[in-house]
Amino acid sequence: MRPVCLRANASAQMGQGAYIFGCEGLELSPLEAQFFRDANPWGFILFARNVETKEQLRRLTNDLRDTVGWHAPILIDQEGGRVQRLRGPIWREFEPPLDDILTKSDPKRAMWLRGRLIADDLAGVGIDVNCAPTLDVASDLTHPFLRNRCYGTDPATVAHMGRAMVDGMAAGGVAAVMKHIPGHGRGTADSHKNLPRVSASRAKLEVDFVPFKALNDLPMGMSAHIVMEAIDPERPATQSPACIDVIRNEIGFNGLLMTDDLSMQALDGTVFERGHKALEAGCDIVLHCNGDLIEMQSVAALGYMSDLAQRRADYAANSRPKAPRLTTQTIDIAALDAEFQSL
């Protein structure tokens, strides 16, 4: 598997923005295109509002990359279940991950196939990073917004299923972002609306760290908007130096650490203040998803990545797997799809 070469333009040589941005609609407006040229985000993220047809989506991913002058990472959330931005009948529909893991006759193989088939859908329209797997350990207390997006109720299963998903996506030319570090499974609130707080002891929290330790070699990870009181009772992990110290030194993750979406209401303050606190705490880059141009202009005031963050970002960009369709490799996707259904 050969890496995608990083092709830096003049603005990238001056520094890349410490942010990943979304856009508002199905195509770039002239204002958006000029803003992205000036702000030079490291990458982009797409949502259902940006999706209509394969041809339209290919144009959009090409246009986004044209604004920054290189093959910038383009992210999406294509987990399956309710969190999948590409939908049928054009694209494949998937059950929530936990449902497949609990019902498939060979769940590990099913997760590899699931990752490979999702990658086939994404790579065909120019998307090369999927915000998956969700490595949070589920329990009966996990909030419904998250529970069936998880990969199991014990850390070993989550790690094994997560690795299979990562490997399947990589085989199809799509990189992974593991989430939500250092663990969101104990959250009993929806962090899109409220800030979850976890009172579990430090020893119990270490169970949640296990899947992230097992996959700490991945180049990209996403932080959790959740307070772990035994580590930092004042700040969510995204903005907590103590939690990020756990991520780096106990979990052992040295890849590119991006925030979960700054627009989520678990965080207080303006989007600039939210992003500033996250970067100050030790996140490498912030994720802003809603496509609001005024908010993005505010986030862009955060400036460039630090030197260390830029090195991590360069490694993440260059380690993206190459799509098989660009090689001599022949893949019978229909056979893989039939195998997945047969399980």
Side-chain angles (χ1 to χ4, degrees):
M1 206 178 304
R2 293 176 293 170
V4 174
C5 292
L6 187 70
R7 295 180 294 141
N9 62 1
S11 58
Q13 292 168 0
M14 293 164 46
Q16 289 177 308
Y19 31 75
I20 297 166
F21 285 142
C23 58
E24 186 175 24
L26 300 175
E27 59 184 26
L28 289 185
S29 70
L31 282 176
E32 285 177 321
Q34 185 59 56
F35 168 70
F36 292 146
R37 280 192 287 270
D38 293 340
N40 195 31
W42 179 73
F44 302 94
I45 186 164
L46 299 179
F47 282 79
R49 67 177 184 269
N50 308 123
V51 175
E52 186 176 57
T53 67
K54 290 184 178 181
E55 293 74 18
Q56 167 267 325
L57 200 46
R58 288 190 199 101
R59 284 196 302 271
L60 180 58
T61 55
N62 286 334
D63 289 347
L64 286 166
R65 289 179 169 124
D66 284 347
T67 66
V68 291
W70 68 290
H71 195 80
I74 295 184
L75 291 68
I76 201 165
D77 293 287
Q78 192 74 354
E79 299 177 11
R82 67 186 177 281
V83 182
Q84 49 187 334
R85 314 308 182 192
L86 308 186
R87 291 279 185 177
I90 298 176
W91 291 279
R92 297 174 179 90
E93 295 268 358
F94 292 89
E95 296 298 318
L98 190 57
D99 292 4
D100 268 352
I101 289 165
L102 293 176
T103 60
K104 295 291 189 183
S105 58
D106 184 346
K108 187 174 180 180
R109 177 62 176 169
M111 293 308 290
W112 188 95
L113 290 166
R114 180 189 180 101
R116 182 63 185 84
L117 295 170
I118 286 175
D120 185 64
D121 283 338
L122 300 185
V125 291
I127 299 168
D128 57 6
V129 181
N130 190 18
C131 296
T134 302
L135 298 183
D136 308 308
V137 181
S139 74
D140 291 341
L141 298 178
T142 304
H143 192 279
F145 101 92
L146 179 65
R147 191 179 191 282
N148 66 2
R149 298 165 57 194
C150 299
Y151 286 24
T153 56
D154 69 274
T157 297
V158 174
H160 292 316
M161 298 300 118
R163 179 66 73 179
M165 178 73 171
V166 168
D167 290 347
M169 291 193 299
V174 171
V177 180
M178 64 175 178
K179 59 189 185 186
H180 306 85
I181 312 178
H184 208 304
R186 296 180 190 273
T188 57
D190 181 350
S191 54
H192 293 86
K193 301 174 182 178
N194 299 289
L195 178 61
R197 301 187 68 90
V198 173
S199 59
S201 69
R202 186 68 170 73
K204 288 183 177 179
L205 291 177
E206 290 178 6
V207 173
D208 300 286
F209 304 160
V210 169
F212 297 104
K213 287 183 179 180
L215 277 77
N216 66 8
D217 58 304
L218 295 185
M220 289 178 278
M222 181 185 295
S223 69
H225 295 339
I226 190 168
V227 173
M228 293 181 164
E229 294 177 349
I231 301 172
D232 185 341
E234 303 297 329
R235 288 163 288 203
T238 296
Q239 299 173 335
S240 167
C243 284
I244 292 176
D245 181 71
V246 167
I247 290 169
R248 295 303 191 191
N249 295 311
E250 183 170 344
I251 291 174
F253 175 66
N254 196 38
L256 184 73
L257 181 62
M258 65 185 71
T259 70
D260 204 343
D261 183 12
L262 292 183
S263 304
M264 293 165 63
Q265 297 311 304
L267 303 180
D268 292 331
T270 66
V271 288
F272 174 85
E273 291 167 344
R274 296 172 186 184
H276 179 72
K277 289 177 182 178
L279 295 178
E280 285 288 299
C283 287
D284 295 311
I285 196 166
V286 301
L287 183 62
H288 183 274
C289 296
N290 67 17
D292 184 299
L293 184 58
I294 300 300
E295 286 192 4
M296 289 191 291
Q297 289 170 337
S298 176
V299 172
L302 293 169
Y304 299 143
M305 283 183 273
S306 69
D307 290 344
L308 178 56
Q310 185 70 65
R311 289 195 295 273
R312 289 171 175 151
D314 289 347
Y315 178 77
N318 281 297
S319 64
R320 285 173 291 175
K322 198 173 185 69
R325 61 176 46 84
L326 302 181
T327 72
T328 57
Q329 186 177 5
T330 300
I331 300 292
D332 189 342
I333 291 295
L336 295 180
D337 208 339
E339 182 187 355
F340 179 72
Q341 300 304 325
S342 74
L343 296 177

